[in-house]
Amino acid sequence: TSRLITMKTYELRNKSKEELTKTLLDLKGELSNLRVARETGGAASKLAKIKVVRRDIARVKTVLNQSQKTALRKYFKGKKYIPLDLRAKKTRAIRRRLTAFEANKKTLRQQKRERHFPLRKYAVKA
């Protein structure tokens, strides 16, 4: 199976998962044929094609992985727990920091003090 043109990524994104896996199998078969041709002293055009096919395989795998990840993101959206690899990375310190809600919470004593002794407003003469 000889393919002269490489697959464009935007074309791959429009394909279904089954089509992509079939394409991947075809490409892997083609790559093994090219490797055999390399060992048996094949034409220079076949040797140059190995790089192109490897790139195509990488492209198909990338599209497959990205589509799988977006599907998982959609599935876990709004759920209480999200898998670690789908959570925001940021930094360890930021992930452990108090949330805005937790940081703004006040004790009962603090609430009473603010209610009974509000900040005084002064009219300053200019």
Side-chain angles (χ1 to χ4, degrees), residues 58-73:
R59 207 171 280 129
V60 172
K61 279 186 165 185
T62 301
V63 170
L64 267 171
N65 288 335
Q66 285 177 345
S67 60
Q68 185 180 17
K69 201 132 187 179
T70 52
L72 283 170
R73 279 188 199 283

Side-chain angles (χ1 to χ4, degrees), residues 1 3 5 11 15 25 34 38-39 41 47 49 58-59 69 80 82 86-87 91 95 97 104 107 110-112 117 125:
T1 58
R3 292 171 57 250
I5 54 164
E11 293 168 357
K15 289 188 171 189
L25 284 170
L34 289 171
R38 179 179 66 189
E39 296 306 316
L47 298 181
K49 200 161 190 270
R59 207 171 280 129
K69 201 132 187 179
K80 186 173 181 184
I82 299 171
L86 296 181
R87 293 179 193 173
T91 64
R95 290 195 305 266
R97 195 163 54 191
N104 289 329
T107 61
Q110 198 175 0
Q111 289 171 3
K112 284 179 183 175
F117 304 103
K125 202 172 192 181

Side-chain angles (χ1 to χ4, degrees), residues 76-90:
F76 283 105
K77 189 157 182 76
K79 294 255 191 328
K80 186 173 181 184
Y81 297 111
I82 299 171
L84 296 177
D85 61 333
L86 296 181
R87 293 179 193 173
K89 179 80 170 95
K90 298 185 178 170

